[in-house]
Amino acid sequence: MGWMSVEVDGSILRNNLRAVKSLLSPGTAVAAVVKSGAYGHGMVEAARAFTEEGAEVLAVSMPNEGVELREAGFPQPIILLGGFFLEDAEVVVKQRLSPVVSCSEAIDALARAASRCGERLGVHLKVDTGMGRRGCGEDELRDLLDRISSHPELSLEGLLSHLSVADVDDEEAREYTQQQLIRFNSVVEMVKRAGFRPRWVHIANSAAIAWYPKSHHTLVRPGIVLYGGLKGFEEAKEAMRVASRLVEIRQVKKGSCISYGRTFVAPRDMLLGIVPVGYATGYLRGISNKGFMVVRGRRVPVVGTVCMDLTLLDLFQVPEAEIGDEVVLMGRQGEAGVSVFEIAEWLGTITYEVFCLLGNSVFAERRWIEPA
Ligand SMILES: Cc1ncc(COP(=O)(O)O)c(C=O)c1O
């Protein structure tokens, strides 16, 4: 075992995909978002689980991820949500990836590359309806459609936008999301009126899939829900379990200062457990004096400042603990557990970030399991 193990339960990911599919009408397909190492879960393995359960499309960020999926044998459409650097246009064409475009430079670069390769390529045009990130303005739409039509090598395969607050549960956010959906509907109408029939029309992320059924169109793009990290959606479960082991146990006297910055002073004689994980392995310093881990089926508090590669535990609850015992950072052990939602709360962040940090840690030894 390395410093830390990351175990992913493929059967849970499969169930999560099925839970998403059960919300969709028959005319809506799934683009499973497996970018960034499937949010730390392992891109190729997760893509296999999702496609075997019926995801018709995959979505990644940049071309290198698409190439990795092609080399692993995935024939499905692969959408490049993040885009591509112009010099990589030929890779996009040769690997039959589906780029998201929202500017004339990208469209022209793809057309030139397709022409050089003697190929045709479908592109997805992205419109900004209020996310304020990638996407053309609604006033640029007509020009970009004309631009795509002017290149015989290109066709409009998809039309998309992205929501910024679909996961926020308050009235203002719901109103904003409704406005984005209305704007997107009018974009879809305009594109149709202009004579285009894109096969894939998509705006719904996980939260919209769960709570805005009218957002589904012909394709949805679930990410976080597939990994069990969408708050309030109990049908999907967490599949990632992160563990390490006690590397040392020591007694310290009442009044001893514990770790950097002396942020914790022992209130009594204490038994400290030492775990070789820390912010270098994705267990961030913000967890200092806030978090819990699980040892011998009981939750024990993190005490003192989390270091680069060492974290300290108060073993008061488990005096029988021994060096080498498994310590669970996230996931379950016996009756006890720590959820991704708790860790996100300790850090004042979102579940996405916790999965990415721990799951993609270069120090993790990865294991994929598929219990029957
Ligand atoms: C363009 C786009 N679509 C879909 C997703 C998936 O979002 P979520 O994980 O909230 O379902 C993302 C994730 O960041 C994204 O950037």
Side-chain angles (χ1 to χ4, degrees):
M1 183 185 186
W3 301 13
M4 193 172 95
S5 67
V6 170
E7 187 179 278
V8 174
D9 184 332
S11 68
I12 295 179
L13 294 186
R14 288 169 193 273
N15 279 333
N16 294 347
L17 194 280
R18 284 198 289 270
V20 165
K21 283 218 128 191
S22 74
L23 299 174
L24 307 176
S25 47
T28 303
V30 172
V33 181
V34 294
K35 64 179 179 171
S36 306
Y39 296 32
H41 291 69
M43 182 176 67
V44 169
E45 296 88 344
R48 190 157 292 125
F50 296 144
T51 51
E52 282 175 8
E53 292 304 323
E56 295 87 344
V57 177
L58 294 166
V60 296
S61 184
M62 299 289 281
N64 62 318
E65 293 179 313
V67 172
E68 197 180 331
L69 288 174
R70 285 280 181 257
E71 283 173 356
F74 290 92
Q76 290 82 3
I78 299 174
I79 303 175
L80 300 177
L81 296 174
F84 62 97
F85 294 119
L86 299 185
E87 67 271 21
D88 292 333
E90 215 164 291
V91 175
V92 173
V93 172
K94 285 186 176 149
Q95 297 287 339
R96 292 170 296 102
L97 303 175
S98 304
V100 168
V101 296
S102 45
C103 66
S104 53
E105 291 87 340
I107 293 169
D108 293 348
L110 289 168
R112 282 194 301 272
S115 161
R116 275 197 305 276
C117 299
E119 301 273 354
R120 283 183 59 81
L121 184 74
V123 300
H124 291 233
L125 180 60
K126 186 166 195 176
V127 185
D128 183 12
T129 55
M131 169 71 188
R133 196 175 61 176
R134 294 199 68 205
C136 68
E138 285 159 71
D139 52 342
E140 298 167 278
L141 185 60
R142 187 69 242 192
D143 280 353
L144 291 181
L145 287 171
D146 289 344
R147 195 119 192 164
I148 292 169
S149 313
S150 74
H151 294 297
E153 304 83 2
L154 302 185
S155 62
L156 187 71
E157 186 179 81
L159 178 67
L160 72 148
S161 188
H162 194 41
L163 298 166
S164 63
V165 284
D167 57 337
V168 180
D169 186 20
D170 67 41
E171 205 164 311
E172 196 185 323
R174 280 194 292 274
E175 174 63 22
Y176 194 83
T177 302
Q178 294 294 1
Q179 286 308 320
Q180 278 202 264
L181 295 176
I182 290 167
R183 287 173 75 173
F184 187 58
N185 287 346
S186 69
V187 165
V188 174
E189 283 313 309
M190 191 209 144
V191 169
K192 279 188 186 155
R193 275 200 308 278
F196 294 87
R197 294 283 176 275
R199 175 173 180 204
W200 306 118
V201 175
H202 46 120
I203 187 169
N205 58 2
S206 296
I209 294 166
W211 295 302
Y212 295 89
K214 292 204 171 116
S215 70
H216 293 180
H217 294 275
T218 58
L219 185 68
V220 293
R221 305 190 304 264
I224 197 70
V225 66
L226 297 177
Y227 308 107
L230 178 65
K231 202 170 193 150
F233 190 77
E234 312 294 335
E235 294 84 340
K237 307 276 184 250
E238 291 172 50
M240 187 188 291
R241 185 174 185 272
V242 183
S244 182
R245 295 166 68 198
L246 289 173
V247 73
E248 187 179 332
I249 295 178
R250 58 181 294 239
Q251 311 263 0
V252 294
K253 292 275 175 229
K254 176 177 176 180
S256 304
C257 297
I258 306 300
S259 191
Y260 284 121
R262 304 168 66 206
T263 60
F264 184 86
V265 179
R268 49 182 154 73
D269 288 356
M270 287 181 75
L271 192 61
L272 284 183
I274 303 175
V275 195
V277 299
Y279 55 83
T281 72
Y283 198 74
L284 295 193
R285 205 162 171 273
I287 298 174
S288 303
N289 293 308
K290 282 189 192 159
F292 290 83
M293 295 188 189
V294 186
V295 179
R296 296 208 173 199
R298 268 156 284 165
R299 278 164 66 103
V300 296
V302 169
V303 289
T305 302
V306 171
C307 307
M308 188 184 292
D309 46 21
L310 291 171
T311 296
L312 302 151
L313 301 174
D314 174 1
L315 293 182
F316 179 73
Q317 304 274 355
V318 272
E320 74 279 22
E322 290 175 9
I323 291 177
D325 279 358
E326 187 196 58
V327 178
V328 170
L329 284 63
M330 185 168 83
R332 299 205 64 79
Q333 188 199 58
E335 294 297 296
V338 174
S339 81
V340 69
F341 296 99
E342 283 182 282
I343 300 180
E345 200 173 314
W346 300 332
L347 288 169
T349 187
I350 51 175
T351 54
Y352 304 62
E353 196 172 38
V354 176
F355 282 143
C356 285
L357 283 168
L358 289 170
N360 286 325
S361 169
V362 294
F363 294 97
E365 197 170 275
R366 315 188 52 84
R367 264 199 302 274
W368 183 267
I369 59 166
E370 290 265 356

